[in-house]
Structures are given as C-alpha cells and as structure tokens.
Amino acid sequence: MADFFIETKNASPELPQSDRPKMFMFGVPSYTNMGDQAVSLASRIFFKKEFPEYQYIEIMDYDNEAGISAVKEIISKQDIVGYVGGGNMGSLYTDIEKDRRDVFSTFTDNLTISFPQSIHFEKTAYGEDEKKLSQEAYNKNRNLILLARDAQSYRRMQKTFKNKIAFTPDMVLYLTPRTFNVKRSGALFILRHDGEKILDESFIESLKLILKKHYSLERTDTVLETPTKITPKTREKLFEEQLQKIANQELIISDRFHAMVFSVLTQTPCLLFGNSYGKGKHAYFDWLENISWIKYSDERDVTRIKMELETITSAQVHSYDLRPNFRPLKRIIKKYIAERAVVR
Amino acid sequence: MADFFIETKNASPELPQSDRPKMFMFGVPSYTNMGDQAVSLASRIFFKKEFPEYQYIEIMDYDNEAGISAVKEIISKQDIVGYVGGGNMGSLYTDIEKDRRDVFSTFTDNLTISFPQSIHFEKTAYGEDEKKLSQEAYNKNRNLILLARDAQSYRRMQKTFKNKIAFTPDMVLYLTPRTFNVKRSGALFILRHDGEKILDESFIESLKLILKKHYSLERTDTVLETPTKITPKTREKLFEEQLQKIANQELIISDRFHAMVFSVLTQTPCLLFGNSYGKGKHAYFDWLENISWIKYSDERDVTRIKMELETITSAQVHSYDLRPNFRPLKRIIKKYIAERAVVR
C-alpha cells in the first residue's frame, strides 16, 4: 500500500493493524488553504488529547476512494469515522462534497462524524440537484452526526438533513492562544481570490488609502502559492509560519474566516469583512463577539471603518476559553465508546 | 387543593390522577408580559401536538412551592418536568430564577427540560453569587437538559453549566404564520420600560419625527397594563388580540424580541433594536435573518434607518418554516419515552 494512511506519531505507509481502537479521519486536505490545513491539524490535536487511547489515522483527500476500500477491510466495532471540517459543505466545492458522500454512505455501522462545517447549497437547479445527492447519501447513515460551526449552518443543516446535528465552534478554536514576543509592524490584507469574494477592489483601494498613512501595507491570502501541496508532515511548520506572520502585524484586514481565527490565537487586531454567504459573520457573532481585538463589519463607509479600527487597535488583550463549547463533541464520542464497550 | 394545576383541556382544580403519562410544566406566567404568555401557550401547543398521549399540566408561577410538593406526591417514571422558556434565566429576574432552581433540584429522577431561554448573569458580585446558586442547583440534576434559544445563550450555558445543552428557536416560532385580512394602518412603537432598555428617548423622538410624515403613530408595550393577571384560560384570547393589533399595523418599531416574533407570525414589517444584552439581536441572526419583512438594527443614523425601513416595508412576503429546528427537542423527549418504556 502507498502512503494513503498516515499515523500521526510515526508516519507509516502501512495501514496500522494494532488492537487499539481507531479514528479514521477522511478528507485531510493536500491543497494549500491554510485555514483548512489548520482545521485538520486542530482536529488531530483535539482527538489525540481527548481520546489518547485511539489511534488517529488520516486519509488524504486525493486518496479517498482507495482509503475507503482499505478502511473497509480492517474497520471494527469501536472504530470511529470522521470527515474533516471547514467551510466546504454544499454545492460550491463538489469534488469535496462527493468524497464526503462516499464516506458517509459507506461506514453506516460506525459512529461517523462530520466535523464542524459551514454549509451552503446554492439556490439554483444545480444547487438543488447537489443537495438531493447529499441528502440521499447522508440519510443512509443512521450513525452520522453533523457538526455545524455557526448557527446559520445549524439551521440550514436541520432543514436539509434528517441526521442528528450538533453545534460547536470551528476546530481551530480548540487551540490555545499563544503569545509571540515580536515587535509588530504594518497592516496585512488577507483577501480571497475565489468565488466567495464579495469585496470590491475599489473599496479595498479606499481602505488602503486611509491605512497607508499609518502602516506599511502588504497583501496576501491564506491560500499559499508555494508549496503546491501540503501533507500532515509539512502542515505544522507551515501553520506555525502563518501564525508567526500574523503575530508580526499591527493589523489584519480580511474576508477570510480563518484569518480572523489566527488573529484570535495571536492577539492580533483584525477587522473581518463578509464572504458570499455569511460564514465568517455568523461564526463571529456566535463565538467571538466578546473578543476585544477583533470585529466583524458590513460597513463600507470609510469614516465609520476608521472608528472600528481605532476600537480594535486600542483594545486590551484578555483571556477567553472556547473549550467548554467542544463538550457536545466529546459527549457524542464518549457515549459511543461506552455503548460499544457494553456490546463487546 | 386549590387551582394550582390546570389541565389544558378542562381546567380542573384537582390534580389529575389518570394513568396517562404526564408533562408538568412549571413557571407558567401570571404576569402580563405577552411575550412570555405566548411562550407558554406555544409550549402547550407543541406538546399537545407532538406528544398527545401525555397529559399536559401547567403550574402557575405563584404556585411554585405548593406545586412542587403536590407533583412530588404523584410523579412517576415516565413523567416529564419542564420549566417554561423566555428571556429570564440569570440574575435579572431572580424570583423566577429561584423557582427554576427549586424545580430543577427537586425532580432529579425525571427528564427535566428547561424550555428555550436566553441567559444573562451580570458581571457583578451579585451576578456571580446568583450564578453559583444556579450552578449548584442545576448540577444536582443529571436528567436536566437546557435549551438555548440563541447561539450567544448556547455558548454562555456551555460555559456556565455542566448539564446537556441543546439549541432550538424560541417556542413561539413553532406556531404557524397566519394571514389577517385587514387593512393595515399606522406605525406602532412597542417599547420596553424595564432594566433591559437601551434606546434613548431622544433617539425615539427622532424616529417619530421621520415616521409621522407617513404614518399615524402609537406607542405601547407587550407588557399589558390591564388585566393585571393572566391565566391559561385567558391568555389565548389576549394573545389573539395582540396578534390582531400587530397585524393591523403597516410597521412595527420595537426593542422587544417577541414584538419581532409576532411580526413574523403576522407578516408585519418590523425593525428591531437591541436590549441590554443582545437577546433579540442574536435570535434574529440565528433564525430570522432571511425573513424579508423584518430586520434587526444597531443603527442610530436616521438617514440610514430610513433605508432599512424602505427595504422591509417594500419586501415581498414569503413562506418560511422553522419547525425542523425543533427536532432536537422532539428527539430528547422521544428518546426518554423509549428508554422508560423498556424499564417498565
């Protein structure tokens, strides 16, 4: 077998055949969106910390089909199947959605967890068709639990699927905040170049105009251009570099939900603007509204934005703890483990 | 026994001693807040429709202590205990919070449901003391499930209590929208006079100034001055009158969450402003953001508010259905019934 399976401790090309119960995490991203990379890293950290008795096995996105076949061979009663979270459930990223359907409709006898997601099926004939395909696939699995990472997604999932739905933050918010002892300098625009982008370039230019009086400016995206592929072996270092880069800034302006999350983790002032369907906005109001150094804005009036920026750049840093909000996920897994232990 | 117990079908002063399983709903409001009255009415409608085999017994707020004693005498295994929802969990309404603690810490062997609530413990020594009292009381009951009616309350409940938390809309949103064939006329201000009020009178005056060019204006509150007391027998008629009054308007301006909910039910354009801790704002973004004829606003600039009003008053009415979001509550009850049926 090729390197389809990666045991987190000592990456092994062999499918581990130990007696330990196993967590099979599907959909681990090889693409260079650092938000999704951070999600898969945080999911592993969560699982290794909360359920250390489980062997945590990651199956790369490009190996979904082969991975399903191989896991089918060895999966046993107490094993758990997961599909990594992110912001890609729905009709916008159908290659991923197709993989998700395949996983969910295959392992119907095991606890199957769709890790915290946002959901968006477009209101078009295409979107409706995709929704039906997902409904059919998800509904085959009575042991499937969907986690929504914002209330809008929770509401939409309840409406769309018959499966159980639970509500937790994005997995990256499980990580502990860190202090970087660096002198901050400059303002960094972290902006989308994808179909979810709604910020006008002319508006971005007007923001630059007011910011360049006070800051040196730079523009980037959380999607890296190099390397072109990331594995569980390389992602941690790249994630650290990403955090470091954000921790170096005086200010982040972004329309990327995870740029805001990275700013939360590094105590970096961040003003977040929306995407096409409000995933960052909703997550902000649900979980992050009380964090003083970040703010969500729908504003387009530059004078008002200046006031918002003054608020976040002058804010006192404070502690926060979102870990209690992962209890529903822990409960689901503990309950399953207890039930299966009785059966054995 | 006095009229502590009211069987919904034929109000009986006797505690019903039938073989039917029973739902004991505590905290039924006698006070004249029509929002809370609607909550208790909708809770009864929900339970009678979804679990018709259960006898639904309401215990008035003023009878909490005697009610607890009497229910203790007859409660049996399959019975369920509830405490009505609203926006009063926390340190703002401690008479109600004390009653809630007494109920939760008493019936620890039965499924106990705290119906959908907002929560707010003040960040003061007093608020902290009250929080501790509630934590102690709630934590005595391992069969207690708390329902949060907005994501902010869900997050706060997870942080505050060890109990299971579920997430559903306010019970009034279980009710079906209705069409009133009346000619609408005028704009109605429905405004708080309590400690949760944050709207300045001067701001209200500036709104009146722009509105009186187009509408005849009136001001009221969802808290009635007459009658001074409401019972389960009189509340339905008063609720109908309240809906009718709102359905007669061209526009509602309010800082009352349930004024917005009544506007949803009657397809009446409504602009909602905030209260002291964001309960209406969060519920709006979680459940109602896509309903075209209502809008939440933090705006204080009258010119911008005019644009918001134009949007909602010219909006097309459309259908919506929040019932799928009550599935978590139905599941909790069904699971309990199934488990207790096995035990018997």
Short mmCIF file of all heavy atoms in Angstrom, two decimals, chain A residues 44 51 65 102 105 144-145 180 204 227 237 255 266 271 299 316 321 332 337:
data_model
loop_
_atom_site.label_atom_id
_atom_site.label_comp_id
_atom_site.label_asym_id
_atom_site.label_seq_id
_atom_site.Cartn_x
_atom_site.Cartn_y
_atom_site.Cartn_z
N ARG A 44 -6.70 16.80 14.79
CA ARG A 44 -5.79 15.77 15.30
C ARG A 44 -5.39 16.08 16.74
O ARG A 44 -5.42 15.18 17.59
CB ARG A 44 -4.54 15.70 14.42
CG ARG A 44 -3.72 14.45 14.69
CD ARG A 44 -2.35 14.54 14.09
NE ARG A 44 -1.51 15.49 14.81
CZ ARG A 44 -0.28 15.82 14.45
NH1 ARG A 44 0.25 15.34 13.35
NH2 ARG A 44 0.41 16.68 15.18
N PHE A 51 -8.90 11.73 23.40
CA PHE A 51 -9.09 10.28 23.29
C PHE A 51 -7.76 9.61 22.93
O PHE A 51 -7.62 9.03 21.84
CB PHE A 51 -10.19 9.96 22.26
CG PHE A 51 -11.50 10.60 22.61
CD1 PHE A 51 -11.87 11.82 22.08
CD2 PHE A 51 -12.34 10.00 23.54
CE1 PHE A 51 -13.07 12.43 22.46
CE2 PHE A 51 -13.54 10.59 23.92
CZ PHE A 51 -13.90 11.81 23.37
N GLU A 65 -10.96 7.31 -2.40
CA GLU A 65 -11.53 6.05 -2.88
C GLU A 65 -10.73 4.86 -2.36
O GLU A 65 -11.29 3.93 -1.77
CB GLU A 65 -11.54 6.06 -4.41
CG GLU A 65 -12.60 5.18 -5.02
CD GLU A 65 -12.62 5.30 -6.55
OE1 GLU A 65 -12.40 6.43 -7.05
OE2 GLU A 65 -12.82 4.28 -7.22
N ASP A 102 -19.42 9.80 -0.27
CA ASP A 102 -18.91 8.42 -0.37
C ASP A 102 -18.54 7.87 1.01
O ASP A 102 -18.83 6.72 1.32
CB ASP A 102 -17.70 8.36 -1.31
CG ASP A 102 -18.10 8.60 -2.76
OD1 ASP A 102 -19.30 8.51 -3.08
OD2 ASP A 102 -17.20 8.88 -3.59
N SER A 105 -21.85 7.41 3.25
CA SER A 105 -22.77 6.33 2.85
C SER A 105 -22.11 4.96 2.91
O SER A 105 -22.78 3.95 2.70
CB SER A 105 -23.31 6.61 1.44
OG SER A 105 -22.24 6.66 0.52
N LEU A 144 -24.58 8.78 11.66
CA LEU A 144 -23.89 10.01 11.24
C LEU A 144 -24.36 11.21 12.06
O LEU A 144 -25.56 11.42 12.24
CB LEU A 144 -24.17 10.26 9.75
CG LEU A 144 -23.73 11.60 9.17
CD1 LEU A 144 -22.22 11.80 9.30
CD2 LEU A 144 -24.16 11.70 7.69
N ILE A 145 -23.40 11.96 12.57
CA ILE A 145 -23.71 13.20 13.28
C ILE A 145 -23.00 14.35 12.59
O ILE A 145 -21.80 14.29 12.32
CB ILE A 145 -23.29 13.11 14.76
CG1 ILE A 145 -24.19 12.08 15.44
CG2 ILE A 145 -23.39 14.47 15.45
CD1 ILE A 145 -23.97 11.92 16.91
N PHE A 180 3.41 35.71 21.11
CA PHE A 180 4.62 35.79 20.29
C PHE A 180 5.36 37.06 20.71
O PHE A 180 4.80 38.14 20.67
CB PHE A 180 4.27 35.88 18.81
CG PHE A 180 3.68 34.62 18.25
CD1 PHE A 180 2.34 34.29 18.50
CD2 PHE A 180 4.44 33.75 17.49
CE1 PHE A 180 1.81 33.12 18.00
CE2 PHE A 180 3.90 32.59 16.98
CZ PHE A 180 2.58 32.26 17.23
N ILE A 204 -11.40 48.13 -1.46
CA ILE A 204 -10.11 47.76 -0.88
C ILE A 204 -9.10 48.90 -1.08
O ILE A 204 -8.35 49.26 -0.17
CB ILE A 204 -9.60 46.44 -1.51
CG1 ILE A 204 -10.53 45.28 -1.11
CG2 ILE A 204 -8.16 46.13 -1.07
CD1 ILE A 204 -10.38 44.02 -1.95
N PRO A 227 4.35 25.94 -0.89
CA PRO A 227 4.39 24.79 -1.79
C PRO A 227 3.05 24.58 -2.50
O PRO A 227 2.08 25.26 -2.17
CB PRO A 227 4.67 23.64 -0.82
CG PRO A 227 4.05 24.07 0.47
CD PRO A 227 4.30 25.54 0.53
N LYS A 237 4.58 22.97 10.38
CA LYS A 237 5.57 24.03 10.21
C LYS A 237 4.97 25.22 9.44
O LYS A 237 5.16 26.39 9.80
CB LYS A 237 6.79 23.46 9.48
CG LYS A 237 7.96 24.41 9.38
CD LYS A 237 9.24 23.69 8.99
CE LYS A 237 10.31 24.67 8.54
NZ LYS A 237 10.09 25.17 7.16
N ASP A 255 -11.20 39.01 4.57
CA ASP A 255 -12.52 38.43 4.33
C ASP A 255 -12.44 36.90 4.48
O ASP A 255 -13.32 36.18 4.00
CB ASP A 255 -13.06 38.83 2.95
CG ASP A 255 -12.13 38.45 1.81
OD1 ASP A 255 -11.05 37.85 2.06
OD2 ASP A 255 -12.46 38.77 0.64
N THR A 266 -3.41 34.79 18.03
CA THR A 266 -2.16 35.55 18.19
C THR A 266 -2.38 36.94 18.78
O THR A 266 -1.46 37.76 18.81
CB THR A 266 -1.45 35.72 16.82
OG1 THR A 266 -2.37 36.40 15.94
CG2 THR A 266 -1.07 34.39 16.22
N LEU A 271 -9.96 43.17 11.50
CA LEU A 271 -11.29 43.56 11.03
C LEU A 271 -11.68 42.60 9.92
O LEU A 271 -10.97 42.48 8.92
CB LEU A 271 -11.30 45.00 10.52
CG LEU A 271 -12.68 45.58 10.22
CD1 LEU A 271 -13.51 45.73 11.49
CD2 LEU A 271 -12.56 46.94 9.53
N GLU A 299 -19.71 47.26 7.12
CA GLU A 299 -19.64 48.69 6.81
C GLU A 299 -18.86 48.92 5.51
O GLU A 299 -17.92 48.19 5.20
CB GLU A 299 -18.94 49.39 8.00
CG GLU A 299 -18.99 50.88 7.99
CD GLU A 299 -20.41 51.41 7.93
OE1 GLU A 299 -21.16 51.20 8.87
OE2 GLU A 299 -20.75 52.04 6.90
N GLN A 316 -7.66 46.22 24.92
CA GLN A 316 -6.85 45.44 25.86
C GLN A 316 -7.01 43.95 25.52
O GLN A 316 -8.12 43.47 25.31
CB GLN A 316 -7.35 45.65 27.29
CG GLN A 316 -7.07 47.04 27.86
CD GLN A 316 -5.60 47.24 28.16
OE1 GLN A 316 -4.95 46.38 28.72
NE2 GLN A 316 -5.06 48.39 27.74
N ASP A 321 -11.93 31.42 26.62
CA ASP A 321 -11.80 29.96 26.56
C ASP A 321 -13.03 29.38 25.89
O ASP A 321 -14.13 29.40 26.44
CB ASP A 321 -11.66 29.39 27.98
CG ASP A 321 -11.39 27.89 27.95
OD1 ASP A 321 -11.18 27.34 26.85
OD2 ASP A 321 -11.41 27.26 29.03
N ILE A 332 -20.59 13.00 22.48
CA ILE A 332 -21.00 12.09 21.41
C ILE A 332 -20.02 10.91 21.35
O ILE A 332 -20.42 9.75 21.26
CB ILE A 332 -21.02 12.84 20.06
CG1 ILE A 332 -22.20 13.81 20.00
CG2 ILE A 332 -21.05 11.87 18.88
CD1 ILE A 332 -22.09 14.89 18.92
N ILE A 337 -18.35 5.23 22.72
CA ILE A 337 -17.35 4.32 23.28
C ILE A 337 -17.99 3.47 24.38
O ILE A 337 -17.81 2.25 24.42
CB ILE A 337 -16.14 5.12 23.83
CG1 ILE A 337 -15.39 5.78 22.66
CG2 ILE A 337 -15.21 4.21 24.63
CD1 ILE A 337 -14.26 6.73 23.09
#
